[in-house]
Structure formats: structure tokens, C-alpha cells
Amino acid sequence: MVDVVVIGAGPGGLGFAHKWSALRGGHGVTVLEAGPELSERLCWIDVGQGCRRVTSCDVLRGVGGASALAGGKISDFPAGSGLGHQMGNRANVEVQLSDALLELSGRVDLSPADHFPQTVRDYSSRMGAQGIDFKYYPAYKYRQQALTAAWQEIADECRARGVDIRSRTVAIDADPSKGSWAISTTGAITETLHARHLVIATGRSTTPLTNSLGRLGLSVANPPQIGVRLEFPAGSWTTMDECHNDLKLKWDGARTYCASKEGRIAPYWLDGVLLAEGSCDAAVQTSWSNIAVVVDSTVEERADTMNRARKHSAGKLLRQSLGSYIGGPSASEDIVQRERWWRPGQVSHLYGPELHARIHKAVEHFSAKVMPTDAREKAFVYGPEVNQVAVRTPINGMTEDGARIWSVGEVTGLYRGILQSFAAGRWLAQQDLDATVSLQ
């Protein structure tokens, strides 16, 4: 029996294993990762090919988590204020984020994104006058290759301390018994592991294990946010970093997130559908920027959206000019050629009527109130975008017979972000996991 089994080797899982092994040695920790090693991960879209539509998408799964192939920015406090549910108070959250940022900055060159306080104040005032909640989060840009190398370095250090990191190994079930866990695995290694503690760090991906925990009342469906991603020439919105950085604009049940200036759209394959996401890289600037616009939705609307996407998208994203989508001047459909992962189509076909009405209203409002006119006239709409943790697990809990479970990272449904997940894992590793906990 080992002390801890960690499910997932992304920022949260690696953060936990790295800190735990530094404090106590790693011989009592096993990390199970469904995806491949970092050196084996590959997105075929990134090398100019079409999506291979494999069941386990390398963008989402593998050592290093989703941040190893897509991302581009690390957000600092107050991004991740939901960590307060786990760490107890704001002051502790700030300390832990600062500590985690110091650890990463020693391995990765983190460059502060453009920040002009007066521009931010002016923008905040203008948004507030239009009923839009504006929060500016400081962020750091990095080279994707450098962050990938940092995750490899951290994983290597964990292994050198005795941590058993097993890639291509899927945890399919976990049974509590007499205060410990029996964890069934398949893949590269098929066996049953026994552990005193179970740490869930699976990110936003739904896994067989998180689904199976539902029968124990340890996982619940999490309402998603669904919408589209807007893409426009970077030169048409030169102040995007000053206005957005890692901003979350909110209004009337809608929000923006993941603004990627001079970046790219980074699709990923999930449950038989290609979904939109944004990414940028400090080392590779493009002539395009993008941002997501999503609305609050339901689990049922997510299922309907995924079914409609399977029917209408032919395994690709649908793309439509913003003008065509909302009515107005339209961009030329031949500005960029990316038919390997998108195709022209009516984005509205991806959503049910009620959901699409909310998305359309949000896009129309955002493009009219926030986007510069020049950006609107040259913009495109891609869908679907699904911002969600499909199944969330408790930040800490204990079954009736005393088996303890913990969760860190996006699977909690309380926060998201590379730094936030890494900090949460490091914080948990410093706690007394034998202390009595109540289900949260």
C-alpha cells in the first residue's frame, strides 16, 4: 500500500507530487496519467495536419496537462480567488500563489503582459457605464516550449525522489474499504493499487474514475458555459492586452475569457467533437487574436450541443464571418485557409434555439460595446466553445468508512488556471492528510 495515489499529472498533480516528495520523499506516491509522456505528446493540427480524432486527445491529456500544448499566459491573483474555499482565506491564497509563481519563474521566463494603469481605469469606467463587470487580472506570457521543458524537469525531479509516475495508465474505478482505497487501472499497466489517500487532479477532463465516484456521492455534474470564439486581425485591436490581459468581462449571464492576442485558435477533440480554445506563445506571434464569448448553460444543453456538433460539423469547427452571424459588414471568407480543422457553416446550427438566442445576444452585445469597429468588420466566429468541468469532485472529503479523498485544480469547479492548479497541489502536499475532514 502506498500513501497517496494522484490521478492526473497536470499542474495540480505535478505540483502535489513535487512538493510532497521534497518534504517527505516520493516513495509513497504514485501518479496515474491517462495520456502519454511529454516527449510523446503531439497535436497534429499544430504540424499542419487535420485532427486525428483519437479518443484520448493529446491537447487535454498527458504529463504536463493541457498547458503543455496550449495556453500562453499565467494569471496571478485575484485570478483563482476560488482557492479561498480550499486554503481558508485570501491572505493564504496570495501567499501560495506567490510561492508557486516563484517556483515556476525559476524555470520559465515569465514576461508581464502589457499593463497601462490609466488605460485599464478608463476601460473599466467605460465598461461599468454599460453595465459590464470588469476585472483586470495581471498575467505573464511565456514560451510554450519553455513551459513544456519546465514540466519535464519537475516530473524528472519527482521520479528522482522516488515518485512513481505512470503514463498511459487510466484509473477506471476506486473503492473505499477500511479507511483506504482500492484503485483499478488499465492501459500500460493493469492492476489494482491500494492507497491511504486519493488525490484527484484530472483538470477539466471527464474520466472513468470521476464518473465512477458519482456512485459514492463524490462527484456531481457541473453546469457548463457554452458559446463561440471570435477571431480578428491583431492589428485591428492593438490595445487588447491593456484592456483584456486575462480579463473576465461579465454581463447578463455571459462572459469573456481566454483572450489570446497575436495567438491562435487551438482546437481539441473531446467526446467525438472538435471544440474551440485559444492559445498564444511569446515566441511565436501571429497576425490574429481571439477571445471566447460564452453564456451560462445546463448539462442538458451541453449534451444537445455536442450531439448537434456531431451532426453538423463533420468533425471540424464551424466558422462564419461575424457580420454574417449578427448582421453587418462581413469579412472575406478567404482571408485565411485552415480547412483541415474548420469548415464554413452556420454556427447557429450547433445550438438549440433557446441557447443560441442567449449566445447570439451575448456576441452581438460584446461586438457592439467592446470590440473596435475595425475588428468587428474583419472578425470570424468559431463554434462550438465549451468552457466546463463536466464532473467536479470535492476539495476534501471522507467516506463513511474513513477513506480520504482530495481534489486540486480545475476538477474542483472552483477555479481554473495553470498557476492556480499548481499552487493548489503544492499547498495540499504541505497539509496533514490524516487530519479529520468533512465532505466539502
Side-chain angles (χ1 to χ4, degrees), residues 11 67-68 70-80 97-113 136-144 146-148 150-151 154 244-248 258-259 280-282 416-423:
S67 64
K73 286 187 294 189
I74 286 178
S75 318
D76 204 351
F77 194 83
L97 287 175
S98 178
D99 179 65
L101 185 64
L102 183 64
E103 175 69 34
L104 285 179
S105 64
R107 303 170 186 270
V108 183
D109 182 15
L110 300 177
S111 305
Y136 186 90
Y137 300 154
Y140 300 85
K141 294 182 177 181
Y142 58 82
R143 293 183 299 109
Q144 191 67 55
L147 184 64
T148 300
W151 293 138
I154 289 172
H244 279 265
N245 208 332
D246 195 42
L247 157 75
K248 309 294 187 290
C258 191
C280 53
D281 188 334
R416 61 177 292 166
I418 298 167
L419 180 66
Q420 289 67 27
S421 297
F422 187 58

CSV table of all heavy atoms in Angstrom, one decimal, residues 11 67-68 70-80 97-113 136-144 146-148 150-151 154 244-248 258-259 280-282 416-423:
chain,number,residue,atom,x,y,z
A,11,PRO,N,-0.6,20.3,-14.0
A,11,PRO,CA,-0.1,21.3,-13.0
A,11,PRO,C,-0.4,20.9,-11.5
A,11,PRO,O,0.4,21.0,-10.6
A,11,PRO,CB,-0.6,22.6,-13.4
A,11,PRO,CG,-0.8,22.5,-14.9
A,11,PRO,CD,-1.3,21.1,-15.1
A,67,SER,N,-1.7,22.5,-20.4
A,67,SER,CA,-0.8,23.6,-20.6
A,67,SER,C,0.4,23.3,-21.3
A,67,SER,O,1.2,24.2,-21.8
A,67,SER,CB,-0.4,24.2,-19.2
A,67,SER,OG,0.3,23.2,-18.5
A,68,ALA,N,0.7,22.0,-21.5
A,68,ALA,CA,1.9,21.6,-22.3
A,68,ALA,C,1.8,21.8,-23.7
A,68,ALA,O,2.8,22.0,-24.4
A,68,ALA,CB,2.2,20.1,-22.0
A,70,ALA,N,-1.0,24.0,-25.1
A,70,ALA,CA,-1.8,25.1,-25.4
A,70,ALA,C,-1.9,26.0,-24.1
A,70,ALA,O,-1.8,25.5,-23.0
A,70,ALA,CB,-3.2,24.8,-25.8
A,71,GLY,N,-2.0,27.3,-24.3
A,71,GLY,CA,-2.1,28.2,-23.2
A,71,GLY,C,-1.5,29.5,-23.5
A,71,GLY,O,-2.0,30.3,-24.4
A,72,GLY,N,-0.4,29.9,-22.9
A,72,GLY,CA,0.3,31.1,-23.3
A,72,GLY,C,0.4,32.2,-22.3
A,72,GLY,O,1.2,33.1,-22.3
A,73,LYS,N,-0.5,32.1,-21.2
A,73,LYS,CA,-0.4,33.1,-20.2
A,73,LYS,C,-0.7,32.4,-18.8
A,73,LYS,O,-1.4,31.5,-18.7
A,73,LYS,CB,-1.5,34.1,-20.4
A,73,LYS,CG,-1.2,35.1,-21.5
A,73,LYS,CD,-2.2,36.2,-21.6
A,73,LYS,CE,-3.6,35.7,-22.0
A,73,LYS,NZ,-4.5,36.8,-22.2
A,74,ILE,N,0.0,32.9,-17.8
A,74,ILE,CA,-0.2,32.5,-16.4
A,74,ILE,C,-0.8,33.7,-15.7
A,74,ILE,O,-0.2,34.8,-15.6
A,74,ILE,CB,1.1,32.1,-15.8
A,74,ILE,CG1,1.5,30.7,-16.4
A,74,ILE,CG2,1.0,32.0,-14.3
A,74,ILE,CD1,2.9,30.2,-15.8
A,75,SER,N,-1.9,33.5,-15.1
A,75,SER,CA,-2.7,34.6,-14.4
A,75,SER,C,-2.3,34.6,-13.0
A,75,SER,O,-2.2,33.5,-12.3
A,75,SER,CB,-4.2,34.4,-14.6
A,75,SER,OG,-4.5,34.0,-15.9
A,76,ASP,N,-2.2,35.8,-12.4
A,76,ASP,CA,-1.9,35.9,-11.0
A,76,ASP,C,-3.2,36.5,-10.3
A,76,ASP,O,-4.2,36.8,-10.9
A,76,ASP,CB,-0.8,36.9,-10.8
A,76,ASP,CG,0.0,36.7,-9.5
A,76,ASP,OD1,-0.5,35.9,-8.6
A,76,ASP,OD2,1.0,37.3,-9.3
A,77,PHE,N,-3.1,36.5,-8.9
A,77,PHE,CA,-4.2,37.0,-8.1
A,77,PHE,C,-4.7,38.3,-8.6
A,77,PHE,O,-3.8,39.2,-8.9
A,77,PHE,CB,-3.8,37.0,-6.6
A,77,PHE,CG,-4.9,37.1,-5.7
A,77,PHE,CD1,-5.6,36.0,-5.3
A,77,PHE,CD2,-5.3,38.3,-5.2
A,77,PHE,CE1,-6.7,36.1,-4.4
A,77,PHE,CE2,-6.3,38.4,-4.3
A,77,PHE,CZ,-7.0,37.3,-3.9
A,78,PRO,N,-6.0,38.6,-8.6
A,78,PRO,CA,-7.1,37.9,-8.0
A,78,PRO,C,-7.7,36.7,-8.8
A,78,PRO,O,-8.7,36.1,-8.4
A,78,PRO,CB,-8.2,38.9,-7.7
A,78,PRO,CG,-8.0,39.9,-8.8
A,78,PRO,CD,-6.5,40.0,-9.1
A,79,ALA,N,-7.1,36.4,-10.0
A,79,ALA,CA,-7.5,35.2,-10.7
A,79,ALA,C,-7.3,34.0,-9.7
A,79,ALA,O,-6.2,33.8,-9.1
A,79,ALA,CB,-6.7,35.0,-11.9
A,80,GLY,N,-8.3,33.1,-9.6
A,80,GLY,CA,-8.2,32.0,-8.7
A,80,GLY,C,-8.6,32.3,-7.3
A,80,GLY,O,-8.2,31.6,-6.4
A,97,LEU,N,0.0,31.4,-4.1
A,97,LEU,CA,0.2,31.8,-5.5
A,97,LEU,C,1.6,32.4,-5.7
A,97,LEU,O,2.2,32.1,-6.7
A,97,LEU,CB,-0.9,32.7,-6.0
A,97,LEU,CG,-2.3,32.1,-6.2
A,97,LEU,CD1,-3.3,33.2,-6.5
A,97,LEU,CD2,-2.3,31.0,-7.3
A,98,SER,N,2.0,33.3,-4.8
A,98,SER,CA,3.3,33.9,-4.9
A,98,SER,C,4.4,32.9,-4.8
A,98,SER,O,5.4,32.9,-5.6
A,98,SER,CB,3.5,34.9,-3.8
A,98,SER,OG,4.7,35.5,-3.8
A,99,ASP,N,4.2,31.9,-3.9
A,99,ASP,CA,5.2,30.8,-3.8
A,99,ASP,C,5.3,30.0,-5.0
A,99,ASP,O,6.4,29.6,-5.5
A,99,ASP,CB,4.9,30.0,-2.6
A,99,ASP,CG,5.9,28.8,-2.4
A,99,ASP,OD1,7.0,29.1,-2.1
A,99,ASP,OD2,5.4,27.7,-2.5
A,100,ALA,N,4.1,29.6,-5.6
A,100,ALA,CA,4.1,28.8,-6.8
A,100,ALA,C,4.7,29.6,-8.0
A,100,ALA,O,5.4,29.0,-8.8
A,100,ALA,CB,2.7,28.4,-7.1
A,101,LEU,N,4.4,30.9,-8.1
A,101,LEU,CA,4.9,31.7,-9.2
A,101,LEU,C,6.4,31.8,-9.1
A,101,LEU,O,7.1,31.7,-10.1
A,101,LEU,CB,4.3,33.1,-9.1
A,101,LEU,CG,4.7,34.1,-10.2
A,101,LEU,CD1,4.1,33.6,-11.5
A,101,LEU,CD2,4.1,35.5,-9.9
A,102,LEU,N,7.0,31.9,-7.9
A,102,LEU,CA,8.4,31.9,-7.7
A,102,LEU,C,9.0,30.6,-8.2
A,102,LEU,O,10.1,30.6,-8.8
A,102,LEU,CB,8.7,32.1,-6.2
A,102,LEU,CG,10.2,32.3,-5.8
A,102,LEU,CD1,10.8,33.5,-6.5
A,102,LEU,CD2,10.4,32.4,-4.3
A,103,GLU,N,8.4,29.5,-7.9
A,103,GLU,CA,8.9,28.2,-8.3
A,103,GLU,C,8.9,28.1,-9.8
A,103,GLU,O,9.9,27.7,-10.4
A,103,GLU,CB,8.0,27.1,-7.7
A,103,GLU,CG,8.4,25.7,-8.2
A,103,GLU,CD,9.7,25.2,-7.7
A,103,GLU,OE1,10.1,25.5,-6.6
A,103,GLU,OE2,10.4,24.5,-8.4
A,104,LEU,N,7.8,28.5,-10.5
A,104,LEU,CA,7.8,28.4,-11.9
A,104,LEU,C,8.7,29.4,-12.6
A,104,LEU,O,9.4,29.1,-13.6
A,104,LEU,CB,6.3,28.7,-12.4
A,104,LEU,CG,5.4,27.5,-12.2
A,104,LEU,CD1,4.0,27.9,-12.7
A,104,LEU,CD2,5.8,26.3,-13.0
A,105,SER,N,8.8,30.6,-12.0
A,105,SER,CA,9.6,31.7,-12.7
A,105,SER,C,11.1,31.3,-12.6
A,105,SER,O,11.9,31.9,-13.3
A,105,SER,CB,9.4,33.0,-12.0
A,105,SER,OG,9.7,33.0,-10.6
A,106,GLY,N,11.5,30.4,-11.7
A,106,GLY,CA,12.9,29.9,-11.6
A,106,GLY,C,13.2,29.0,-12.8
A,106,GLY,O,14.3,28.6,-13.0
A,107,ARG,N,12.1,28.5,-13.5
A,107,ARG,CA,12.3,27.6,-14.5
A,107,ARG,C,11.9,28.1,-15.9
A,107,ARG,O,12.3,27.6,-16.9
A,107,ARG,CB,11.5,26.3,-14.2
A,107,ARG,CG,11.8,25.6,-12.9
A,107,ARG,CD,10.8,24.6,-12.5
A,107,ARG,NE,11.0,24.0,-11.2
A,107,ARG,CZ,11.8,23.0,-11.0
A,107,ARG,NH1,12.4,22.3,-11.9
A,107,ARG,NH2,11.9,22.5,-9.7
A,108,VAL,N,11.0,29.1,-15.9
A,108,VAL,CA,10.4,29.6,-17.1
A,108,VAL,C,10.5,31.1,-17.1
A,108,VAL,O,10.3,31.8,-16.1
A,108,VAL,CB,8.9,29.2,-17.2
A,108,VAL,CG1,8.3,29.7,-18.6
A,108,VAL,CG2,8.7,27.8,-17.1
A,109,ASP,N,10.9,31.7,-18.2
A,109,ASP,CA,11.0,33.2,-18.4
A,109,ASP,C,9.6,33.7,-18.5
A,109,ASP,O,8.9,33.5,-19.5
A,109,ASP,CB,11.8,33.6,-19.6
A,109,ASP,CG,12.0,35.1,-19.7
A,109,ASP,OD1,11.7,35.8,-18.7
A,109,ASP,OD2,12.4,35.5,-20.8
A,110,LEU,N,9.0,34.3,-17.4
A,110,LEU,CA,7.7,34.8,-17.4
A,110,LEU,C,7.7,36.3,-17.7
A,110,LEU,O,8.3,37.1,-16.8
A,110,LEU,CB,7.0,34.5,-16.1
A,110,LEU,CG,6.9,33.0,-15.8
A,110,LEU,CD1,6.2,32.8,-14.4
A,110,LEU,CD2,6.0,32.3,-16.8
A,111,SER,N,7.1,36.8,-18.8
A,111,SER,CA,7.1,38.2,-19.1
A,111,SER,C,5.8,38.8,-18.8
A,111,SER,O,4.8,38.3,-19.3
A,111,SER,CB,7.4,38.3,-20.6
A,111,SER,OG,8.6,37.7,-21.0
A,112,PRO,N,5.8,39.9,-18.0
A,112,PRO,CA,4.5,40.5,-17.7
A,112,PRO,C,3.8,41.0,-19.0
A,112,PRO,O,4.5,41.6,-19.8
A,112,PRO,CB,4.9,41.7,-16.8
A,112,PRO,CG,6.2,41.3,-16.2
A,112,PRO,CD,6.9,40.5,-17.3
A,113,ALA,N,2.5,40.8,-19.1
A,113,ALA,CA,1.8,41.3,-20.3
A,113,ALA,C,1.7,42.8,-20.2
A,113,ALA,O,1.8,43.4,-19.1
A,113,ALA,CB,0.4,40.7,-20.4
A,136,TYR,N,-9.6,43.2,-14.0
A,136,TYR,CA,-8.3,43.1,-14.7
A,136,TYR,C,-7.4,42.2,-13.8
A,136,TYR,O,-7.1,42.5,-12.7
A,136,TYR,CB,-7.7,44.5,-14.9
A,136,TYR,CG,-6.4,44.4,-15.7
A,136,TYR,CD1,-6.5,44.5,-17.1
A,136,TYR,CD2,-5.2,44.2,-15.1
A,136,TYR,CE1,-5.3,44.5,-17.8
A,136,TYR,CE2,-4.0,44.2,-15.9
A,136,TYR,CZ,-4.1,44.3,-17.2
A,136,TYR,OH,-3.0,44.2,-18.0
A,137,TYR,N,-6.9,41.1,-14.4
A,137,TYR,CA,-6.0,40.2,-13.7
A,137,TYR,C,-4.6,40.3,-14.3
A,137,TYR,O,-4.5,40.2,-15.5
A,137,TYR,CB,-6.5,38.7,-13.9
A,137,TYR,CG,-7.9,38.4,-13.3
A,137,TYR,CD1,-8.6,37.4,-13.8
A,137,TYR,CD2,-8.4,39.2,-12.3
A,137,TYR,CE1,-9.9,37.1,-13.3
A,137,TYR,CE2,-9.7,38.9,-11.8
A,137,TYR,CZ,-10.4,37.8,-12.3
A,137,TYR,OH,-11.6,37.5,-11.8
A,138,PRO,N,-3.6,40.5,-13.5
A,138,PRO,CA,-2.3,40.5,-14.1
A,138,PRO,C,-1.9,39.1,-14.6
A,138,PRO,O,-2.3,38.1,-14.1
A,138,PRO,CB,-1.4,40.9,-12.9
A,138,PRO,CG,-2.2,40.5,-11.7
A,138,PRO,CD,-3.6,40.7,-12.1
A,139,ALA,N,-1.1,39.1,-15.7
A,139,ALA,CA,-0.8,37.9,-16.3
A,139,ALA,C,0.7,37.9,-16.8
A,139,ALA,O,1.2,39.0,-17.1
A,139,ALA,CB,-1.7,37.5,-17.5
A,140,TYR,N,1.2,36.8,-17.0
A,140,TYR,CA,2.6,36.6,-17.6
A,140,TYR,C,2.6,35.8,-18.8
A,140,TYR,O,1.9,34.7,-18.8
A,140,TYR,CB,3.5,36.0,-16.5
A,140,TYR,CG,3.6,36.8,-15.2
A,140,TYR,CD1,2.7,36.6,-14.2
A,140,TYR,CD2,4.6,37.7,-15.0
A,140,TYR,CE1,2.8,37.3,-13.0
A,140,TYR,CE2,4.7,38.4,-13.8
A,140,TYR,CZ,3.8,38.2,-12.8
A,140,TYR,OH,3.9,38.9,-11.7
A,141,LYS,N,3.3,36.2,-19.8
A,141,LYS,CA,3.4,35.4,-21.0
A,141,LYS,C,4.6,34.5,-21.0
A,141,LYS,O,5.6,34.9,-20.3
A,141,LYS,CB,3.5,36.3,-22.3
A,141,LYS,CG,2.2,37.1,-22.5
A,141,LYS,CD,2.3,37.9,-23.8
A,141,LYS,CE,1.0,38.7,-24.1
A,141,LYS,NZ,1.1,39.5,-25.3
A,142,TYR,N,4.6,33.5,-21.7
A,142,TYR,CA,5.8,32.6,-21.7
A,142,TYR,C,5.9,31.9,-23.0
A,142,TYR,O,4.9,31.9,-23.8
A,142,TYR,CB,5.6,31.5,-20.6
A,142,TYR,CG,4.4,30.6,-20.7
A,142,TYR,CD1,4.3,29.6,-21.5
A,142,TYR,CD2,3.3,31.0,-19.9
A,142,TYR,CE1,3.2,28.8,-21.6
A,142,TYR,CE2,2.1,30.2,-20.0
A,142,TYR,CZ,2.1,29.1,-20.9
A,142,TYR,OH,0.9,28.4,-21.0
A,143,ARG,N,7.0,31.3,-23.3
A,143,ARG,CA,7.2,30.5,-24.5
A,143,ARG,C,6.7,29.1,-24.2
A,143,ARG,O,7.1,28.5,-23.2
A,143,ARG,CB,8.7,30.4,-24.9
A,143,ARG,CG,9.3,31.8,-25.4
A,143,ARG,CD,10.7,31.6,-25.8
A,143,ARG,NE,11.6,31.2,-24.8
A,143,ARG,CZ,12.1,30.0,-24.7
A,143,ARG,NH1,11.9,29.1,-25.6
A,143,ARG,NH2,12.9,29.7,-23.7
A,144,GLN,N,5.9,28.6,-25.1
A,144,GLN,CA,5.3,27.3,-24.8
A,144,GLN,C,6.3,26.2,-24.6
A,144,GLN,O,6.2,25.3,-23.7
A,144,GLN,CB,4.4,26.9,-26.0
A,144,GLN,CG,3.5,25.7,-25.8
A,144,GLN,CD,2.4,25.9,-24.7
A,144,GLN,OE1,1.7,26.9,-24.8
A,144,GLN,NE2,2.4,25.1,-23.7
A,146,ALA,N,9.3,26.5,-23.4
A,146,ALA,CA,9.9,26.6,-22.1
A,146,ALA,C,9.0,26.0,-21.0
A,146,ALA,O,9.6,25.4,-20.1
A,146,ALA,CB,10.2,28.1,-21.8
A,147,LEU,N,7.7,26.3,-21.0
A,147,LEU,CA,6.9,25.7,-20.0
A,147,LEU,C,6.8,24.2,-20.1
A,147,LEU,O,6.9,23.5,-19.1
A,147,LEU,CB,5.4,26.2,-20.1
A,147,LEU,CG,4.5,25.7,-19.0
A,147,LEU,CD1,4.9,26.2,-17.7
A,147,LEU,CD2,3.1,26.2,-19.3
A,148,THR,N,6.8,23.6,-21.3
A,148,THR,CA,6.9,22.2,-21.5
A,148,THR,C,8.1,21.6,-20.9
A,148,THR,O,8.1,20.6,-20.2
A,148,THR,CB,6.8,21.8,-23.0
A,148,THR,OG1,5.5,22.4,-23.5
A,148,THR,CG2,6.8,20.3,-23.2
A,150,ALA,N,9.8,22.9,-18.5
A,150,ALA,CA,9.7,23.0,-17.0
A,150,ALA,C,8.9,21.8,-16.4
A,150,ALA,O,9.3,21.3,-15.4
A,150,ALA,CB,9.0,24.3,-16.6
A,151,TRP,N,7.8,21.5,-17.1
A,151,TRP,CA,7.0,20.3,-16.6
A,151,TRP,C,7.8,19.0,-16.7
A,151,TRP,O,7.8,18.2,-15.8
A,151,TRP,CB,5.7,20.2,-17.4
A,151,TRP,CG,4.7,21.2,-17.2
A,151,TRP,CD1,4.0,21.8,-18.2
A,151,TRP,CD2,4.3,21.9,-16.0
A,151,TRP,NE1,3.1,22.8,-17.7
A,151,TRP,CE2,3.3,22.8,-16.4
A,151,TRP,CE3,4.7,21.7,-14.7
A,151,TRP,CZ2,2.7,23.6,-15.4
A,151,TRP,CZ3,4.0,22.5,-13.7
A,151,TRP,CH2,3.1,23.5,-14.1
A,154,ILE,N,10.3,19.1,-13.8
A,154,ILE,CA,9.6,18.8,-12.5
A,154,ILE,C,9.2,17.3,-12.4
A,154,ILE,O,9.4,16.7,-11.3
A,154,ILE,CB,8.3,19.7,-12.4
A,154,ILE,CG1,8.7,21.2,-12.1
A,154,ILE,CG2,7.4,19.2,-11.3
A,154,ILE,CD1,7.6,22.2,-12.2
A,244,HIS,N,-7.6,43.6,-21.9
A,244,HIS,CA,-8.0,42.3,-21.5
A,244,HIS,C,-7.0,41.5,-20.7
A,244,HIS,O,-7.4,40.9,-19.7
A,244,HIS,CB,-8.4,41.5,-22.8
A,244,HIS,CG,-9.8,41.8,-23.3
A,244,HIS,ND1,-10.9,41.1,-22.9
A,244,HIS,CD2,-10.2,42.9,-24.0
A,244,HIS,CE1,-11.9,41.6,-23.5
A,244,HIS,NE2,-11.6,42.7,-24.1
A,245,ASN,N,-5.8,41.4,-21.1
A,245,ASN,CA,-4.8,40.6,-20.4
A,245,ASN,C,-5.5,39.3,-20.1
A,245,ASN,O,-5.7,38.5,-21.0
A,245,ASN,CB,-4.4,41.3,-19.2
A,245,ASN,CG,-3.0,40.9,-18.7
A,245,ASN,OD1,-2.6,39.8,-19.0
A,245,ASN,ND2,-2.3,41.8,-18.1
A,246,ASP,N,-5.8,39.0,-18.8
A,246,ASP,CA,-6.6,37.8,-18.5
A,246,ASP,C,-7.9,38.1,-17.9
A,246,ASP,O,-8.4,37.5,-17.0
A,246,ASP,CB,-5.8,36.9,-17.5
A,246,ASP,CG,-6.3,35.5,-17.5
A,246,ASP,OD1,-6.7,35.0,-18.6
A,246,ASP,OD2,-6.4,34.9,-16.4
A,247,LEU,N,-8.5,39.1,-18.5
A,247,LEU,CA,-9.8,39.7,-18.0
A,247,LEU,C,-11.0,38.8,-18.2
A,247,LEU,O,-11.0,38.0,-19.2
A,247,LEU,CB,-10.0,41.0,-18.8
A,247,LEU,CG,-11.4,41.5,-18.9
A,247,LEU,CD1,-11.8,42.1,-17.5
A,247,LEU,CD2,-11.5,42.6,-19.9
A,248,LYS,N,-11.9,38.8,-17.3
A,248,LYS,CA,-13.2,38.2,-17.4
A,248,LYS,C,-14.3,39.3,-17.4
A,248,LYS,O,-14.6,39.8,-16.4
A,248,LYS,CB,-13.5,37.2,-16.3
A,248,LYS,CG,-12.3,36.2,-16.1
A,248,LYS,CD,-12.2,35.2,-17.3
A,248,LYS,CE,-11.2,34.2,-17.0
A,248,LYS,NZ,-9.8,34.6,-16.9
A,258,CYS,N,-10.1,33.9,-21.8
A,258,CYS,CA,-9.0,33.4,-22.6
A,258,CYS,C,-8.8,34.3,-23.8
A,258,CYS,O,-8.9,33.8,-25.0
A,258,CYS,CB,-9.3,31.9,-23.1
A,258,CYS,SG,-7.8,31.1,-23.8
A,259,ALA,N,-8.5,35.5,-23.6
A,259,ALA,CA,-8.1,36.4,-24.6
A,259,ALA,C,-6.7,36.1,-25.1
A,259,ALA,O,-5.7,36.1,-24.3
A,259,ALA,CB,-8.2,37.9,-24.2
A,280,CYS,N,-1.7,31.3,-27.1
A,280,CYS,CA,-0.7,32.2,-27.6
A,280,CYS,C,0.7,31.8,-27.1
A,280,CYS,O,0.8,31.0,-26.2
A,280,CYS,CB,-1.0,33.7,-27.3
A,280,CYS,SG,-1.2,34.0,-25.5
A,281,ASP,N,1.7,32.3,-27.8
A,281,ASP,CA,3.1,31.8,-27.4
A,281,ASP,C,4.0,33.1,-27.6
A,281,ASP,O,4.0,33.7,-28.6
A,281,ASP,CB,3.5,30.7,-28.4
A,281,ASP,CG,4.8,30.1,-28.0
A,281,ASP,OD1,5.6,30.8,-27.4
A,281,ASP,OD2,5.1,28.9,-28.4
A,282,ALA,N,4.7,33.4,-26.5
A,282,ALA,CA,5.5,34.6,-26.5
A,282,ALA,C,6.6,34.5,-27.6
A,282,ALA,O,7.1,35.5,-28.1
A,282,ALA,CB,6.2,34.8,-25.2
A,416,ARG,N,-9.7,28.0,-12.1
A,416,ARG,CA,-9.0,27.5,-13.2
A,416,ARG,C,-7.7,28.2,-13.4
A,416,ARG,O,-7.6,29.3,-12.9
A,416,ARG,CB,-9.9,27.5,-14.5
A,416,ARG,CG,-10.3,28.9,-14.9
A,416,ARG,CD,-11.0,28.9,-16.3
A,416,ARG,NE,-10.2,28.5,-17.4
A,416,ARG,CZ,-10.6,28.1,-18.6
A,416,ARG,NH1,-11.9,28.1,-18.8
A,416,ARG,NH2,-9.8,27.8,-19.5
A,417,GLY,N,-6.8,27.7,-14.2
A,417,GLY,CA,-5.6,28.3,-14.4
A,417,GLY,C,-4.4,27.5,-14.1
A,417,GLY,O,-4.4,26.6,-13.1
A,418,ILE,N,-3.3,27.7,-14.8
A,418,ILE,CA,-2.0,26.9,-14.6
A,418,ILE,C,-1.5,27.2,-13.2
A,418,ILE,O,-1.2,26.2,-12.4
A,418,ILE,CB,-1.0,27.3,-15.7
A,418,ILE,CG1,-1.5,26.9,-17.1
A,418,ILE,CG2,0.3,26.6,-15.4
A,418,ILE,CD1,-0.7,27.5,-18.2
A,419,LEU,N,-1.3,28.4,-12.9
A,419,LEU,CA,-0.7,28.8,-11.6
A,419,LEU,C,-1.6,28.3,-10.4
A,419,LEU,O,-1.1,27.8,-9.4
A,419,LEU,CB,-0.4,30.3,-11.5
A,419,LEU,CG,0.2,30.8,-10.2
A,419,LEU,CD1,1.6,30.3,-10.1
A,419,LEU,CD2,0.2,32.4,-10.2
A,420,GLN,N,-2.9,28.5,-10.6
A,420,GLN,CA,-3.8,28.2,-9.5
A,420,GLN,C,-3.8,26.7,-9.2
A,420,GLN,O,-3.8,26.3,-8.1
A,420,GLN,CB,-5.2,28.7,-9.9
A,420,GLN,CG,-5.4,30.2,-9.9
A,420,GLN,CD,-4.6,30.9,-11.0
A,420,GLN,OE1,-4.3,30.3,-12.0
A,420,GLN,NE2,-4.2,32.2,-10.7
A,421,SER,N,-3.8,25.9,-10.3
A,421,SER,CA,-3.8,24.4,-10.1
A,421,SER,C,-2.4,24.0,-9.5
A,421,SER,O,-2.4,23.1,-8.6
A,421,SER,CB,-4.0,23.7,-11.4
A,421,SER,OG,-5.3,24.0,-11.9
A,422,PHE,N,-1.3,24.5,-10.0
A,422,PHE,CA,0.0,24.2,-9.4
A,422,PHE,C,0.1,24.6,-8.0
A,422,PHE,O,0.6,23.8,-7.1
A,422,PHE,CB,1.0,24.9,-10.3
A,422,PHE,CG,2.5,24.6,-10.0
A,422,PHE,CD1,2.9,23.3,-10.1
A,422,PHE,CD2,3.4,25.5,-9.6
A,422,PHE,CE1,4.2,22.9,-9.8
A,422,PHE,CE2,4.7,25.2,-9.3
A,422,PHE,CZ,5.1,23.9,-9.4
A,423,ALA,N,-0.4,25.8,-7.6
A,423,ALA,CA,-0.4,26.2,-6.2
A,423,ALA,C,-1.2,25.3,-5.3
A,423,ALA,O,-0.8,25.0,-4.2
A,423,ALA,CB,-0.8,27.7,-6.1
